[in-house]
Amino acid sequence: MDHSGHGSGMHTHMDLPPFTLGRALEFSFDAFFLIGSLVGLGLYLWGVVRLKRRGDAWPSGRIVAFCAGVLSVALMMCTKLNDYGMVMFSVHMVQHMVISMLSPILLLLGAPVTLALRALPPAGRGRKGPRELLLALLHSRYMRVVTHPAFTIPMFIASLYALYFTPLFDFLMESKPGHIGMMVHFLAVGLVFFWPIMGVDPGPHRPGYVMRMLELFAGMPFHAFFGIALMMASEPMIGTYSNPPASLGIDPLLDQQWGGGIAWAFSEIPSVLVLIALMYQWYHSEQRAAKRADRAADRNGDAELEAYNAYLASLRARQ
């Protein structure tokens, strides 16, 4: 098999043995994502410790969700999965789906913005510290635009069609910075798409529960169709993966069909996860509203009921 069709960045992946899960999960150093993951975890845990020292509680479920989110990114990018993802479309698709749809949901369930706002000290009058800068960013027009569904839904869809069905993907895959940039883009698009929908952290765009569900489902048919288009194709559609190293022993068309199947199946998983989280939040907000109504009734001694009884008494008096 001729390897000349590969970009310059591919030659290090020529001698990979056939894919197995055991081989794929071996550690493979990637400075950018390893340092990024460690810094993210460190900052988050610093925030939690700060709150605890102050005597404030922070739900352990959020800590677990955030750590799982960071680990999911590290697992995709700091193992041999990343090496195989350079030469196998199906493996790349697993990376793309996890980093754009599973990692963001887990990270957002950790409520990192809320934690930062509570853990960072105020800078004092007239000065601007990290907390003030974060608040300014949250209230900025830029944030209002990038978290609005009119921006996030087309962006989510373009990350599939405009990337894979144009020469852009092959161009990015030819260099290490290009590949890192693409993965960071997937994560960023996932975060701004799911942020308003999850609604755990404060943000500029705060829709009601029904709107959130509509936003969630708006992008999913496009996702499914993208996967089906790849599964139905009669020839390899993406240049980078059209000519895999002979050592892998794979058929590029079959590998592409697997990739399409992964994209199609994966579009359902986050929908279910987010739906469960939304139902849980909705139920709890209804419970809180009911409790507030009960407390109000206790405070004013059921004034409404008394007024109603007085009204009935006045009717009887008239008879």
Side-chain angles (χ1 to χ4, degrees):
M1 194 177 273
D2 172 38
H3 292 160
S4 60
H6 281 281
S8 57
M10 295 293 146
H11 293 297
T12 49
H13 305 285
M14 284 306 163
D15 50 355
L16 277 174
F19 180 88
T20 65
L21 197 57
R23 283 175 188 149
L25 294 179
E26 287 170 18
F27 178 73
S28 176
F29 182 73
D30 182 286
F32 182 87
F33 283 98
L34 190 62
I35 293 166
S37 298
L38 290 172
V39 168
L41 268 183
L43 286 172
Y44 189 89
L45 295 174
W46 170 82
V48 173
V49 168
R50 242 186 103 83
L51 287 193
K52 292 264 199 278
R53 283 207 182 126
R54 213 165 57 197
D56 289 349
W58 185 255
S60 51
R62 286 182 176 178
I63 302 171
V64 171
F66 189 84
C67 292
V70 173
L71 288 174
S72 66
V73 175
L75 187 68
M76 291 300 115
M77 300 309 301
C78 302
T79 62
K80 289 271 177 71
L81 270 175
N82 195 30
D83 299 343
Y84 278 104
M86 301 299 277
V87 285
M88 288 176 71
F89 181 66
S90 55
V91 179
H92 167 82
M93 221 16 143
V94 171
Q95 287 180 288
H96 178 168
M97 294 297 117
V98 169
I99 278 183
S100 69
M101 296 173 85
L102 187 62
S103 306
I105 292 170
L106 291 168
L107 292 170
L108 290 165
L109 284 173
V113 176
T114 306
L115 179 64
L117 289 173
R118 284 180 60 185
L120 288 167
R125 255 216 303 268
R127 288 210 305 273
K128 275 199 156 87
R131 190 175 186 277
E132 288 70 25
L133 293 171
L134 179 59
L135 276 170
L137 180 64
L138 284 177
H139 294 296
S140 66
R141 179 177 293 160
Y142 168 77
M143 265 309 175
R144 274 207 299 279
V145 170
V146 299
T147 59
H148 196 278
F151 177 86
T152 60
I153 294 168
M155 201 63 183
F156 204 65
I157 296 161
S159 290
L160 295 171
Y161 294 87
L163 185 64
Y164 291 100
F165 297 161
T166 68
L168 182 59
F169 182 83
D170 290 332
F171 169 72
L172 290 171
M173 287 294 280
E174 277 180 8
S175 71
K176 181 103 176 121
H179 185 242
I180 288 172
M182 176 167 43
M183 290 299 174
V184 170
H185 167 81
F186 291 153
L187 183 62
V189 168
L191 286 168
V192 294
F193 178 76
F194 289 111
W195 182 11
I197 295 172
M198 302 304 292
V200 182
D201 272 329
H205 171 59
R206 187 58 15 145
Y209 288 98
V210 176
M211 271 310 292
R212 288 188 207 175
M213 289 179 191
L214 289 175
E215 279 180 40
L216 174 64
F217 291 118
M220 296 311 155
F222 295 97
H223 227 282
F225 183 74
F226 169 77
I228 291 164
L230 286 168
M231 288 162 78
M232 303 287 281
S234 55
E235 58 182 15
M237 294 170 76
I238 292 134
T240 303
Y241 298 106
S242 61
N243 199 1
S247 63
L248 287 173
I250 55 165
D251 169 20
L253 186 60
L254 187 63
D255 186 51
Q256 179 174 289
Q257 286 164 354
W258 271 101
I262 288 161
W264 176 62
F266 219 100
S267 64
E268 307 307 318
I269 298 169
S271 312
V272 174
L273 277 179
V274 175
L275 211 51
I276 292 166
L278 277 182
M279 289 297 190
Y280 179 79
Q281 288 172 15
W282 199 348
Y283 171 75
H284 275 272
S285 73
E286 293 291 314
Q287 293 286 92
R288 280 198 298 273
K291 276 190 187 134
R292 272 200 299 275
D294 288 346
R295 276 202 301 274
D298 290 344
R299 266 200 307 277
N300 60 24
D302 285 340
E304 285 176 32
L305 192 59
E306 281 171 22
Y308 183 63
N309 286 337
Y311 168 69
L312 291 178
S314 72
L315 288 181
R316 276 198 296 277
R318 271 186 219 157
Q319 282 169 0

